Amino acid sequence: QKEVEQNSGPLSVPEGAIASLNCTYSDRGSQSFFWYRQYSGKSPELIMFIYSNGDKEDGRFTAQLNKASQYVSLLIRDSQPSDSATYLCAADQGAQKLVFGQGTRLTINP
Amino acid sequence: ETGVTQTPRHLVMGMTNKKSLKCEQHLGHNAMYWYKQSAKKPLELMFVYSLEERVENNSVPSRFSPECPNSSHLFLHLHTLQPEDSALYLCASSQDTGPTNNEQFFGPGTRLTVL
């Protein structure tokens, strides 16, 4: 069973600090990786995707990919209370399949 | 608003009922998906359709029957469900199915309760 692993949390971060969310995956064939944000009672919302090793920045969000270590992370700078949500990591395993982790619940404390 | 709509948003049904979930995407995408999200479990892929052809059936029980009449519409027909099928059912679509352009956009979901 190809898996994506995330720490379920909750992860608590003070407002204005950097939140760091981590994800590991088991399928070395995965080529693309996605971070989704899901507010309670809502559907997942795509935040970022990354295909290449290294960092990809979009506003306050930075995705990091290390294929050798099979590791993906999401950094949120200047965390805001509105960033409080569950963050889902997903890996593309080909054949139109995304495999999701169970999500990390993030709480930003004012 | 992602451009993917789902109806109904909430559904309560008995185990002997037959109902259908509907999904429509307004994004011009080629692929559509059904997922199941249960409490404390990862999102589970159920079905994938690419250009109206089913390309993945992820070991889903036959009481769930998908239908994709065209690239904009996707249905999930439900019959003889069990209480453990109660969950949030999410529809998603993506532009393409290769290693790029495969970002998936989700609809708001249907919250299903089976009594």
Side-chain angles (χ1 to χ4, degrees), chain B residues 18-35:
Chain B
K18 290 185 180 180
K19 296 286 184 184
S20 296
L21 309 185
K22 179 183 176 182
C23 175
E24 184 173 359
Q25 59 98 357
H26 311 273
L27 302 168
H29 286 172
N30 294 322
M32 297 186 76
Y33 310 78
W34 279 117
Y35 286 89

Side-chain angles (χ1 to χ4, degrees), chain A residues 34 36 38 43 51 92 96, chain B residues 33 37 55 97 102-104 107:
Chain A
F34 304 85
Y36 285 85
Q38 187 172 25
S43 60
Y51 307 128
D92 179 13
Q96 301 86 38
Chain B
Y33 310 78
Q37 188 173 39
V55 296
T97 53
N102 59 350
E103 305 93 80
Q104 294 183 19

